[in-house]
Amino acid sequence: MTVLLWILAVLALPFVLFAAWMAKVFLKEFFSGNAEAAIAAEEAATAAAETAAASAALGLLPAERQNTASAGPLTPETVTALAGVRGGDWHPAAELMAAVGRDWERRSLLTFQLADKAAEDDEWLLAWEAERPGDPDAAVVRARSSVLLAWRVRGAKRAQYTTQEQFQGFHRALTSAREDIARAAELNPDDPTPYVAEIWVALGLGYPNARMDTLWKEITDRAPHHYEAHFSALQYWCAKWRGSERLATEFAERAAAGAPVGSLLTTLPLIAHFEHDDSDDTAADNTPEMVARVEAALKDAAAADPAHPRLPEMRHLLAYYLHLQGRDEAALEYFRLVDGHVDALPWRYRNNKAEYFCEVRDLAVVAAGGNAA
């Protein structure tokens, strides 16, 4: 028996030695890999800290100090109006709407800002409507609020993550919103704003292209170069909604070509590109066509009224594409103009839009040598 055990031990020894060797190799690779990962993480953290420090040296703000609710600073009058409605007082909002008058660009933005608050709590809007029945300003805020509420019912997730109940409620709310839109349009026939709101009904309910064309004519008859209207319509023509990359690009190029300098509509081809670019590198952003688009947008921005309410949105995109094209000193100039506010493309689609903005901005700062253009 003892001899048999010795024989088995001798036979097992090579396997034991082999297993010990494999364990040693595994442990060495495991700890080596962890060490390499730790070193890489430390190097990445150091690099991030250095880039952030370069931005801070220029007075640029960290992610936690970026305003994630707007693309640029609000006017003092808008701040007052929004503070008023949050406190239940609609009078400053009504006064500002009246003062804006037929400035359709400012009216559409202000209407959206007020409607966003009404979608959270509309007691102040109900009081406005009760005291001034038939007020077209209150009516257009109500119309936009109805559309915003419908989209909140749907939620912001992709279709495959949206429940059937959400879709049903979404469609019912959009259908109902059309009544508010029609009333606002009737009370102020010259105003394109109700029709701009309806574009988002067209997206949600899937208006056929011919019906969208009819809606678009209602808008352009009133305001042929309206920025928000064009931005919204471009979304309709994108592949993710009711169009395709070709249709979106054609719409964007046509609008940009027919618009006066300073209208900011040269932003549209950049947006159409952004919405359909799923490449992993910057080659598609550096074609002669894209360089020409950025150049056209730079001239457009330079010619625009500095008080144009949508100029900050254009500046965000210019900062982004100038960086992607390696023109970092020029990019830094635009990053400095928009720093502090990040609710704009291309950051808006990210859950961590402030962090993403700062990440790209800081890379531009370092590439530019830390110098303002």
Side-chain angles (χ1 to χ4, degrees):
M1 184 67 177
T2 303
V3 174
L4 179 60
L5 290 174
W6 275 105
I7 293 172
L8 290 173
V10 171
L11 292 174
L13 182 60
F15 295 100
V16 172
L17 292 174
F18 178 75
W21 177 78
M22 287 295 294
K24 179 181 178 181
V25 169
F26 172 78
L27 290 172
K28 180 180 179 181
E29 291 295 322
F30 177 78
F31 287 110
S32 174
N34 280 355
E36 290 176 1
I39 292 171
E42 183 178 352
E43 290 176 347
T46 301
E50 290 174 351
T51 56
S55 291
L58 294 177
L60 301 176
L61 300 175
E64 61 270 19
R65 294 183 60 192
Q66 300 292 332
N67 184 318
T68 59
S70 65
L74 302 181
T75 65
E77 298 82 5
T78 302
V79 172
T80 299
L82 295 178
V85 299
R86 279 195 294 268
D89 182 7
W90 55 270
H91 292 90
E95 291 170 6
L96 184 55
M97 287 285 288
V100 166
R102 296 174 63 88
D103 184 337
W104 304 132
E105 292 285 1
R106 288 186 64 202
R107 182 177 176 83
S108 67
L109 178 57
L110 177 60
T111 302
F112 178 88
Q113 291 164 332
L114 293 171
D116 186 54
K117 301 305 177 189
E120 298 171 1
D121 181 356
D122 69 345
E123 287 297 319
W124 60 270
L125 182 54
L126 288 168
W128 183 358
E129 293 167 325
E131 186 167 329
R132 297 182 184 177
D135 186 335
D137 294 342
V140 74
V141 173
R142 173 64 67 190
R144 298 212 73 171
S145 175
S146 297
V147 175
L148 285 174
L149 275 171
W151 281 91
R152 291 184 184 187
V153 169
R154 183 199 182 279
K157 294 182 179 180
R158 294 177 181 269
Q160 61 264 40
Y161 304 115
T162 305
T163 68
Q164 191 63 32
E165 290 76 14
Q166 284 176 296
F167 272 122
Q168 290 172 351
F170 174 52
H171 293 152
R172 283 195 302 269
L174 283 180
T175 300
S176 176
R178 288 193 297 200
E179 297 179 11
D180 292 329
I181 290 170
R183 182 171 181 271
E186 182 180 359
L187 289 171
N188 191 354
D190 291 340
D191 187 5
T193 312
Y195 301 98
V196 176
E198 190 174 353
I199 293 175
W200 294 92
V201 177
L203 265 73
L205 294 182
Y207 281 17
N209 292 171
R211 185 171 180 180
M212 178 61 186
D213 289 338
T214 300
L215 172 60
W216 188 239
K217 187 175 186 306
E218 295 285 0
I219 294 170
T220 54
D221 282 350
R222 292 165 173 80
H225 308 299
H226 192 288
Y227 182 91
E228 186 188 352
H230 280 82
F231 173 85
S232 301
L234 177 57
Q235 295 297 311
Y236 172 92
W237 292 111
C238 283
K240 65 182 179 180
W241 287 111
R242 308 300 173 184
S244 65
E245 181 175 1
R246 178 183 64 81
L247 290 172
T249 302
E250 288 177 354
F251 172 83
E253 295 285 4
R254 187 166 58 248
V261 177
S263 66
L264 309 186
L265 294 191
T266 52
T267 313
L268 297 175
L270 297 178
I271 297 173
H273 172 80
F274 176 79
E275 293 285 3
H276 297 92
D277 180 22
D278 57 0
S279 58
D280 295 327
D281 55 39
T282 61
D285 307 307
N286 283 273
T287 63
E289 183 179 40
M290 277 299 291
V291 171
R293 286 171 174 168
V294 170
E295 285 299 317
L298 287 168
K299 294 176 182 176
D300 204 5
D305 180 352
H308 193 300
R310 302 293 179 171
L311 184 56
E313 296 175 37
M314 185 181 212
R315 286 171 169 167
H316 279 279
L317 272 171
L318 281 171
Y320 178 69
Y321 280 113
L322 285 166
H323 167 64
L324 294 185
Q325 292 178 358
R327 303 158 70 181
D328 287 291
E329 288 191 9
L332 178 51
E333 177 182 357
Y334 280 92
F335 275 117
R336 295 194 70 167
L337 288 171
V338 299
D339 193 59
H341 298 81
V342 297
D343 188 31
L345 292 179
W347 336 111
R348 184 183 289 154
Y349 289 169
R350 300 291 186 101
N351 291 329
N352 59 338
K353 53 188 171 183
E355 289 82 358
Y356 182 44
F357 169 84
C358 289
E359 175 187 334
V360 177
R361 180 204 64 192
D362 293 351
L363 289 173
V365 168
V366 172
N371 299 310

